[in-house]
Amino acid sequence: MYHDRDFGLYIEGRWSWGSGTQKKPILDPATEGVIGHIPDANSDDIEQALQSAAAGFKLWKAVQPWERSEKLRNVSQLLRQRIDELSIVMSTESGKPLAESRGEWIACAEQFEWYAEEAKRIFGQIYPGRDEATRMSVIYQPVGVVAAFSAWNFPALLPARKIAAALAAGCSVILKPAGETPGCAAAIVKACHDAGLPPGAVNMVTGNSARIAEQLIRSPIVRKVSLTGSTPVGKQLLHLCADGVKKATMELGGHAPVLIFADADIEAAAEACAKAKFRNCGQVCASPSRFYLQEAAYDRFAKRFTEVAQQLTIGRFDAPGADFGPLANARGLAHSKRIVKDALERGAKLLTGGKQPAGLDRGFFFEPTVLGHVPDDATIMIEEPFAPIAPLAVFRDFDDVVARANATPFGLTGYVFSRDLRTATMAAEALEVGMVGINEVAIASADAPFGGIKESGMGREGGSLGIKDYLEAKFIKTRLT
């Protein structure tokens, strides 16, 4: 099935393998076998995509909002109709269990559904003039061509957040998906094509990320950049954006603190946190990833959390009962081994996991791992783990845990578990993050803004705020003659 799909370049409304001869393999992370290839776009291909997007912008911005809305709704419906096939594509190239893949495609379709409505709600403002002959107003217009870069951990949802919002605003898009998971991005682009979007409104290029990013962002045609990726990559792209004074939305790394106060429902919190932590093999930027437990809660939380981790069935998505897949690539596997080794050397206790599972000699599998009494100087408490490894630590009081939670440069998400309204509210307000879940770990949805502060990024995706980053405000003052 994977080999029968289009995974080439999509430019001017057509699929092709471009003008170059280089191609890159795509691996099944569960077997390390090659499942397909993508073209490595050269400079001529990228320039063609830029020209296509420029022409597409002129066509698409002239489409009236209600018609744009209808086409975006059609994209959502097509994705829902194809969900069985697309879930297999996602699980094959990302390693996710089928249930997670289905859930992500539903979330992807919801982005297009939400922004189909937002396309009709780009409201301006009218201001009273200072005299009877003066009129003042603000209108919002699409920023222009958008260069969108998405990551491999959510290969459908992340492109959808960018494409749907940009198209709703009237922008055209050039998408550069992650090399590990191009099939999902291609499926979204195909749905846009089948929904009747004009040529050039959506374009896709694949290949060397650094080279493609530099050429796209340096081009005067691109006026807006949106990235979901690591903080180091975000900083590099921001430097490129600065040279052209271009708008940027950056959804970067996270290292979410979880504050478990002693008055919380400890067993329920442990179960919810474990399921969230090990979702997508821990490769979630908003995942709960540093667990701070008040002393009286530690033993009960650690026990239940470890039990949930041990109940997960590891295997390829089509293996019977598999609900925990591999890491996406060899880099993730090596990183997992390194941070576990470092934590243990610094005095952490291994509660479960910590190694590659027996019997799975191929693939990038790593056991769900829980580390107890992890010191603050361990690498896993400082660097974004992006792995199925949960570090547990103890805290004494409110001020202690807030200071430690805010001690990293990350500021994407945070979580608080407490039955006390005052404690929960004060903690949520004190955390230096863009999003907080109180007694809740599922906080992302199409109708809510998603994004962080500090080195976790800038701007928001999703919700009514998400479309604003693809619009420019224009003030108009009129004197009646």
Side-chain angles (χ1 to χ4, degrees):
M1 179 179 292
Y2 194 94
H3 291 282
D4 294 336
R5 298 186 55 83
D6 290 310
F7 292 99
L9 312 179
Y10 183 77
I11 300 170
E12 297 177 347
R14 298 187 301 273
W15 293 100
S16 78
W17 274 72
S19 57
T21 59
Q22 300 299 311
K23 60 183 182 180
K24 299 177 66 175
I26 308 162
L27 302 182
D28 180 340
T31 66
E32 302 182 50
V34 176
I35 54 176
H37 293 84
I38 51 173
D40 189 356
N42 62 25
S43 59
D44 291 339
D45 298 324
I46 300 166
E47 181 58 33
Q48 186 183 0
L50 286 162
Q51 296 301 325
S52 170
F57 175 55
K58 292 179 181 179
L59 293 173
W60 183 243
K61 73 176 181 178
V63 176
Q64 294 304 301
W66 282 70
E67 185 178 349
R68 292 205 300 264
S69 174
E70 182 180 359
K71 292 188 182 300
L72 291 177
R73 188 175 293 105
N74 289 342
V75 175
S76 176
Q77 292 170 349
L78 287 169
L79 293 171
R80 291 178 187 275
Q81 291 168 9
R82 300 167 180 175
I83 194 168
D84 290 336
E85 172 195 359
L86 297 183
S87 295
I88 293 174
V89 171
M90 181 181 292
S91 291
T92 300
E93 64 182 12
S94 74
K96 294 186 182 195
L98 271 177
E100 289 188 22
S101 293
R102 288 186 64 86
E104 183 175 341
W105 278 115
I106 291 171
C108 171
E110 287 177 348
Q111 290 290 327
F112 283 94
E113 182 180 357
W114 172 263
Y115 280 109
E117 294 303 315
E118 287 298 288
K120 299 183 291 188
R121 293 193 283 259
I122 302 174
F123 303 133
Q125 297 161 293
I126 301 293
Y127 297 91
R130 297 199 178 192
D131 59 66
E132 62 183 15
T134 300
R135 302 291 186 269
M136 297 190 296
S137 63
V138 174
I139 63 172
Y140 290 90
Q141 297 177 309
V143 65
V145 175
V146 175
F149 304 89
S150 62
W152 43 260
N153 57 325
F154 286 91
L157 177 58
L158 300 181
R161 282 177 176 164
K162 303 172 192 311
I163 296 172
L167 292 175
C171 299
S172 63
V173 183
I174 304 172
L175 173 67
K176 166 58 180 73
E180 291 91 341
T181 54
C184 295
I188 296 172
V189 171
K190 186 176 189 301
C192 290
H193 175 96
D194 294 345
L197 271 73
V202 177
N203 306 270
M204 188 177 93
V205 293
T206 58
N208 184 284
S209 297
R211 179 166 46 79
I212 291 172
E214 181 160 4
Q215 186 170 345
L216 289 180
I217 299 174
R218 288 198 184 282
S219 170
I221 290 174
V222 169
R223 295 309 311 159
K224 156 80 182 183
V225 175
S226 178
L227 166 73
T228 300
S230 69
T231 296
V233 172
K235 291 178 179 180
Q236 293 172 9
L237 266 57
L238 280 172
H239 278 287
L240 292 172
C241 289
D243 289 338
V245 194
K246 300 184 181 185
K247 293 187 70 167
T249 298
M250 296 281 151
E251 197 266 281
L252 307 178
H255 200 350
V258 187
L259 282 53
I260 310 290
F261 290 91
D263 62 6
D265 184 337
I266 303 302
E267 280 73 20
E271 186 166 342
C273 285
K275 289 178 179 178
K277 172 61 204 174
F278 297 119
R279 176 191 177 204
N280 196 21
C281 206
Q283 300 166 124
V284 182
C285 57
S287 171
S289 56
R290 290 179 288 146
F291 298 87
Y292 296 101
L293 316 172
Q294 204 158 20
E295 291 168 323
Y298 182 88
D299 289 339
R300 289 165 57 201
F301 185 96
K303 179 177 183 294
R304 182 58 187 143
F305 194 103
T306 302
E307 289 172 350
V308 174
Q310 292 170 338
Q311 291 166 4
L312 294 170
T313 300
I314 307 172
R316 193 174 187 266
F317 72 91
D318 53 358
D323 52 13
F324 182 86
L327 290 148
N329 49 50
R331 300 189 308 276
L333 180 59
H335 173 68
S336 298
K337 294 176 180 178
R338 179 176 67 86
I339 58 178
V340 168
K341 182 175 183 290
D342 172 83
L344 296 177
E345 289 175 348
R346 295 177 186 273
K349 307 301 180 185
L350 181 64
L351 302 184
T352 192
K355 62 185 185 303
Q356 291 179 260
L360 291 172
D361 300 326
R362 300 289 292 174
F364 309 124
F365 292 97
F366 196 80
E367 292 178 336
T369 299
V370 185
L371 300 171
H373 292 286
V374 181
D376 286 352
D377 63 350
T379 299
I380 195 172
M381 301 299 278
I382 301 168
E383 297 180 8
E384 181 180 24
F386 230 60
I389 305 164
L392 312 184
V394 176
F395 74 89
R396 298 184 306 278
D397 54 37
F398 184 93
D399 291 339
D400 169 46
V401 72
V402 168
R404 292 162 68 190
N406 290 337
T408 75
F410 299 104
L412 187 59
T413 49
Y415 301 92
V416 179
F417 286 83
S418 173
R419 287 192 175 101
D420 184 80
L421 178 61
R422 184 179 188 279
T423 298
T425 301
M426 295 290 287
E429 293 175 352
L431 289 176
E432 296 172 353
V433 296
M435 301 172 286
V436 179
I438 298 177
N439 299 320
E440 172 65 271
V441 289
I443 61 174
S445 62
D447 49 338
F450 190 97
I453 62 174
K454 298 165 66 175
E455 291 193 12
S456 286
M458 59 179 68
R460 293 295 181 270
E461 294 184 317
S464 58
L465 293 178
I467 201 168
K468 295 294 188 184
D469 280 328
Y470 296 91
L471 297 167
E472 295 281 19
K474 178 180 286 184
F475 172 66
I476 302 173
K477 184 176 182 179
T478 304
R479 178 162 296 280
L480 304 181
T481 59

